[in-house]
Amino acid sequence: MQEYTVAIFGAGIIGAFIFDNLTLKGVKCVLIEKTEDVSLGATKANSGIIHAGYDCERDSLKAKFNVRGNALYFDIASRLGERIGNTGSLVVGDKNSLPVLKELLSRGEYNGVKNLKILTRNELLKLEKNLSQEIEYGLFAKDAKIISPYHFTIALVEESLLNGGEIKLNYLTKKIKKENEKYLISDGKDEFYAKYIINACAEGVNEIGKLLKEDEIPLTYTKGEYILLDKSEIGLVSRPIFPLPSEKGKGILASVTVNGNTFFGPTAVDVKNYDTSFSYSSLNLIKSNVTKMIDNINFKKTIRLYAGVRVKHGKDFFISFDNKNKNYIVIAGISSPGLSSAPAIAEYVVNHLIDDGLQTKKIDFKKRTPYTNILTMSQDELSNLISRDKNYGEIVCNCEKITKGEILEVLKTTPYRLTTDGIKRRLRVTMGRCQGSFCYTKLIKIMSEFYKVDEKEIMFKDHTSLVTSDIKEGGIYDTK
Ligand SMILES: Cc1cc2nc3c(=O)[nH]c(=O)nc-3n(C[C@H](O)[C@H](O)[C@H](O)COP(=O)(O)OP(=O)(O)OC[C@H]3O[C@@H](n4cnc5c(N)ncnc54)[C@H](O)[C@@H]3O)c2cc1C
């Protein structure tokens, strides 16, 4: 039977960072995920900001891990070949906002954040030309950054798999039993042993806890909805721009993704469960809030509405090593700034295990190769590539300019069956202004040929197929 030193449950950004950190230290690890891919929880729908750390409560775990996490991100991104935008961030307000901005600055300095500065309207306009008339002051946090959170998670998992880590997807754990010094873990079909269990399941944290007869961790949920604009609106804002914070949180911001899409949100709606629906009242709320800060927004350029859910346990993060079960570690309530804090949480948890006697060893490190991106190539490089493989000359997604060659490359290098949504998160196929209207059918055809299965067996996400009848040549559905 397979035997691992550490089993990490939950393939969000937290589980992925721990998996990567341990694998690179030569620890035999397995990452267990109940869905069909990594990064399908809160990690796929957030603002993608690596916060500087000025808004976390003094002496909180959030403050400690956010500031340390921010400092770790840049090196990890360059090792993985992941895009990171050194944008900085702004909190802006009207003529009465100075006291709040000064409090944020002072809290930030207390938390150890460097490079914070309060700017006046003229200085702000040099950074952001579309600030509304009302805006008089702003706090600039130079160290804030932006990333693609789901892409980063995918890259971390790919690096771990390349360096000896293992993954089990669609794994619905049914039993965990202590046998001597090890845990026997089973989904009824596949059983394995692990010495340590790390529970980073976010909304599913109690599913694993229950199997171990641990006390239930009370959780609350706050939904965050977003409006995403087409890339044509690039340049409207150049960095995350927040309003003054309230007791509800950091507020509805305007920002830009690493790929150049402007977006607005998130709302903060308390919900009873993991509810990712989008409501029209929220649409109006986002519009009215963001137009108080930013002028010249063309909401007609909206291409997508979506939502993510913050899973909270009280106000701070919860990390517990001291549980009923020995060698069982719980990481819960990782709401914002969990993305920013993730590398530091992983470092902290791994150091704790090492102090506890976990053996590490030097590995023969294999560097991850980022996916080919024809948009970053010179004309000569692209011509050479196409002469070696003509698939790189066949555009499948017109909006994002993604080729068949790039899609096949991801299908070949991913060691498990992807959904169309999985390809979307890796390459941006279907993510442009047509949202897949023109390329889904072509993508499904490529995938069905690659996996040698019927088009109806190519899943959109979960276990949902997009195809109900045959796709004809040219991408037309056969309706017979
Ligand atoms: C609207 C919004 C905006 C945010 N903006 C930011 C931001 O800009 N910056 C920032 O720093 N943070 C931000 N955050 C917070 C950040 O997104 C989260 O802290 C982070 O994604 C949490 O990661 P995670 O790995 O704990 O959880 P998740 O990403 O939810 O991952 C948990 C994983 O566990 C899996 N799972 C669940 N149950 C089981 C089980 N029984 N067995 C196996 N697997 C299981 C799930 O399927 C999921 O893949 C935001 C959050 C939201 C919702």
Side-chain angles (χ1 to χ4, degrees), residues 10 14 33-34 42-43 46-47 49 201 207 226 334 337-340:
I14 300 295
E33 169 56 48
K34 73 174 174 185
T43 301
N46 58 57
S47 307
I49 303 164
C201 286
E207 292 167 14
Y226 290 95
I334 309 297
L339 178 69
S340 319

Side-chain angles (χ1 to χ4, degrees), residues 9-15 32-35 39-43 45-51 171 173 200-205 207-208 222 224 226 266 274 308-310 334-341:
F9 287 76
I13 191 78
I14 300 295
I32 307 294
E33 169 56 48
K34 73 174 174 185
T35 67
S39 187
L40 292 183
T43 301
N46 58 57
S47 307
I49 303 164
I50 306 309
H51 296 285
Y171 196 96
T173 312
C201 286
E203 83 7 275
V205 73
E207 292 167 14
I208 299 302
T222 307
Y226 290 95
Y274 207 81
V309 180
R310 306 159 182 97
I334 309 297
S335 56
S336 190
L339 178 69
S340 319
S341 308

Side-chain angles (χ1 to χ4, degrees), residues 203-253:
E203 83 7 275
V205 73
N206 291 314
E207 292 167 14
I208 299 302
K210 210 164 151 185
L211 297 173
L212 285 158
K213 300 193 170 52
E214 290 283 338
D215 295 337
E216 183 164 320
I217 297 172
L219 301 174
T220 56
Y221 305 92
T222 307
K223 179 165 70 167
E225 295 138 296
Y226 290 95
I227 298 177
L228 183 81
L229 301 190
D230 182 37
K231 274 185 180 171
S232 61
E233 303 313 286
I234 192 163
L236 183 76
V237 299
S238 305
R239 57 184 53 73
I241 307 177
F242 296 89
L244 297 185
S246 70
E247 72 287 351
K248 273 272 190 190
K250 292 187 260 297
I252 293 175
L253 66 121

Side-chain angles (χ1 to χ4, degrees), residues 72 87 89 195 225 334 339 436 448 453 465:
L72 291 171
T87 54
S89 69
K195 180 173 179 200
E225 295 138 296
I334 309 297
L339 178 69
S448 84
V453 296
S465 169

